[in-house]
Amino acid sequence: MAASASSLLAAPASSSCGAISPQLPRGAPAAASVASPSRHSCYLLRASPSRRHRSRFVANAAPTMQPPAESRVSTVVDVDLGDRSYPIYIGAGLLDEPDLLQRQHVHGKRVLVVTNTTVAPLYLDKVTWALTHNNLNVSVESVILPDGEKYKNMDTLMKVFDKAVESRFDRRCTFVALGGGVIGDMCGFAAAAFLRGVNFIQIPTTLMAQVDSSVGGKTGINHPLGKNLIGAFYQPQCVLIDTNTLNTLPDRELASGIAEVVKYGLIRDAPFFEWQEKNMPKLLAREPNALAYAIKRSCENKAEVVAQDEKESGLRATLNLGHTFGHAIETGTGYGAWLHGEAVAAGTVMATDMSHRLGWIDDSIRKRVVDILKQAKLPIAPPETMTVEKFKNIMASCKPKGRGRRN
Ligand SMILES: NC(=O)c1ccc[n+]([C@@H]2O[C@H](COP(=O)([O-])OP(=O)(O)OC[C@H]3O[C@@H](n4cnc5c(N)ncnc54)[C@H](O)[C@@H]3O)[C@@H](O)[C@H]2O)c1
């Protein structure tokens, strides 16, 4: 059975604004800081001779495939969803390893890589090589979408379908998402809908996508009135995280991803939060071990939540901490003006402040949240243009009817 990690704070599933209540006694220090990943004894970690870690949330886990022993994969996190289980491979240089994609996860002979105008010049050739090297059986085509949150819409999605239909892809093809969360969400939704569902692989290239959006199967597009309102739950075959892709990521995008890393610490992993408080300068300086650990712990936390509540009937809503306010900021300022993680950071401070005012947490926790987000150089307040009225209007128009979520 999957054990829950200790939390500094926890969002009650019923909390529509993602406000937070304490799991620890007020003012109590968070649990001891992380000396090594193996302190998380609730996971079964198995180190191979190549010192690879495998994290698995064990209830009735289906067997998943192993990468070759000489692989650059340093960590495998299994997302345990019965017959929809899949591995998250994490390591530096995984795109230089054709076997990983080819042997285990590409279905059929035809692959459509979905990417954008920024990522294509950086990584499309590499991915095409990884898919086709020594493999005459696979042909790769690509569709290069315009870059940006403002293009996460029906018109852009249609370009993926146009390409797949014009190229006569059939149901045995594989869609590969190469890019950040915008590409991952759109490609995943396209894979869910094309011919009622085709094989799908995530190759996330932003920190945001590596720690959050590529894992868990939420896919979709925005509506002018609200974020991610149109979509599907659709799980990939695998997630392949080559941490070297972060070398080309702009600093502002790196910081945006850190907002979601902080979230895991707050909602369910106090030792991870304390580790971040001590190691934020290393994360911002892209120290490889620190980044690899943050990605691994984030994926483990997300995988554990998703394995327990895939379709968000309760626990998964904790992953939305700060997002109700954050999504309102993104919608209200125009998609793309604020990065997703920036809006989530300001939203997290608002949720924390609300929890404090409701008497659920004490001021020391609120201050720690503000401090860590400041350390990460993330915004800690919404823009002035977001008046109370504007928040209320947007949040009301996006609110789901009855039980349910909207992230
Ligand atoms: N599905 C989920 O569970 C989930 C979770 C969190 C966020 N999201 C969604 O993810 C999106 C945000 O994702 P994001 O922050 O990755 O934004 P993004 O996809 O817009 O990527 C950010 C920018 O970085 C560029 N880029 C990507 N990889 C790069 C690289 N390696 N080097 C240089 N530039 C690179 C992109 O082209 C883009 O300009 C939002 O739409 C959000 O709603 C979804």
Side-chain angles (χ1 to χ4, degrees):
M1 195 173 73
S4 65
S6 61
S7 8
L8 185 66
L9 310 162
S14 58
S15 167
S16 63
C17 289
I20 46 189
S21 61
Q23 291 266 315
L24 295 180
R26 287 195 190 179
S33 63
V34 180
S36 83
S38 62
R39 288 190 59 133
H40 295 277
S41 55
C42 52
Y43 308 107
L44 294 186
L45 294 177
R46 229 176 27 216
S48 75
S50 59
R51 296 179 56 206
R52 178 182 305 143
H53 292 291
R54 188 154 200 146
S55 312
R56 153 161 280 188
F57 311 108
V58 285
N60 301 318
T64 51
M65 288 176 257
Q66 286 281 353
E70 70 284 2
S71 166
R72 292 178 178 84
V73 174
S74 56
T75 302
V76 184
V77 178
D78 291 319
V79 185
D80 178 14
L81 290 168
D83 60 1
R84 281 165 295 108
S85 297
Y86 56 93
I88 306 167
Y89 301 115
I90 306 171
L94 299 196
L95 292 180
D96 299 314
E97 207 173 291
D99 272 9
L100 206 56
L101 279 174
Q102 286 180 21
R103 261 205 277 147
Q104 303 189 343
H105 301 294
V106 172
H107 291 185
K109 295 182 174 173
R110 303 192 66 194
V111 175
L112 180 64
V113 180
V114 179
T115 186
N116 71 22
T117 49
T118 304
V119 179
L122 296 169
Y123 301 112
L124 181 55
D125 284 351
K126 208 181 232 296
V127 167
T128 305
W129 174 84
L131 287 161
T132 54
H133 181 66
N134 284 341
N135 184 2
L136 296 174
N137 285 329
V138 166
S139 73
V140 176
E141 294 185 53
S142 58
V143 55
I144 299 176
L145 304 177
D147 182 10
E149 183 75 35
K150 66 173 187 252
Y151 296 107
K152 187 179 169 184
N153 58 29
M154 200 59 94
D155 285 348
T156 313
L157 186 72
M158 200 51 77
K159 293 183 196 301
V160 182
F161 296 133
D162 289 347
K163 177 75 186 175
V165 173
E166 283 160 13
S167 303
R168 297 172 185 268
F169 274 71
D170 66 20
R171 200 172 274 153
R172 289 163 300 173
C173 68
T174 296
F175 282 13
V176 173
L178 172 66
V182 169
I183 287 294
D185 281 12
M186 280 199 293
C187 178
F189 189 33
F194 183 64
L195 301 177
R196 300 190 179 84
V198 296
N199 192 47
F200 162 49
I201 291 173
Q202 287 267 18
I203 304 183
T205 60
T206 61
L207 186 63
M208 169 68 66
Q210 295 182 355
V211 300
D212 195 349
S213 63
S214 65
V215 177
K218 277 190 182 179
T219 70
I221 56 173
N222 301 327
H223 185 278
L225 294 180
K227 281 263 305 174
N228 298 338
L229 293 185
I230 302 154
F233 285 97
Y234 196 66
Q235 303 294 343
Q237 279 290 311
C238 76
V239 180
L240 190 145
I241 298 177
D242 183 341
T243 52
N244 284 352
T245 57
L246 298 181
N247 295 339
T248 54
L249 195 67
D251 286 345
R252 188 178 164 204
E253 299 290 351
L254 188 87
S256 173
I258 289 174
E260 303 283 13
V261 176
V262 168
K263 170 186 80 180
Y264 295 114
L266 284 172
I267 62 172
R268 66 194 313 278
D269 192 344
F272 188 32
F273 187 81
E274 286 207 340
W275 178 89
Q276 292 167 31
E277 289 180 311
K278 293 187 182 116
N279 290 281
M280 190 56 74
K282 289 185 183 168
L283 287 178
L284 295 173
R286 302 170 193 237
E287 202 274 295
N289 289 339
L291 269 180
Y293 179 66
I295 293 166
K296 170 185 176 294
R297 259 330 274 148
S298 298
C299 288
E300 286 173 337
N301 273 298
K302 183 142 186 194
E304 186 170 346
V305 171
V306 169
Q308 291 179 59
D309 179 20
E310 182 185 6
K311 300 266 172 82
E312 200 169 294
S313 51
L315 179 68
R316 188 166 178 166
T318 60
L319 295 171
N320 302 339
L321 174 66
H323 285 57
T324 306
F325 293 120
H327 282 180
I329 294 170
E330 288 186 86
T331 306
T333 53
Y335 296 127
W338 275 48
L339 301 183
H340 178 65
E342 293 171 343
V344 166
T348 300
V349 175
M350 293 177 76
T352 309
D353 188 54
M354 184 173 150
S355 301
H356 175 53
R357 289 198 220 178
L358 289 168
W360 292 349
I361 58 171
D362 69 28
D363 200 41
S364 68
I365 293 179
R366 191 192 63 78
K367 281 197 178 114
R368 285 173 73 185
V369 173
V370 170
D371 284 349
I372 198 163
L373 293 171
K374 268 189 185 165
Q375 261 208 78
K377 302 186 173 38
L378 285 160
I380 52 163
E384 280 180 9
T385 51
M386 285 299 296
T387 58
V388 172
E389 272 316 298
K390 203 164 176 181
F391 266 111
K392 279 163 66 178
N393 286 339
I394 295 171
M395 287 159 79
S397 74
C398 293
K399 199 153 179 61
K401 307 279 179 269
R403 285 188 84 204
R405 78 88 271 143
R406 36 171 293 282
N407 276 3

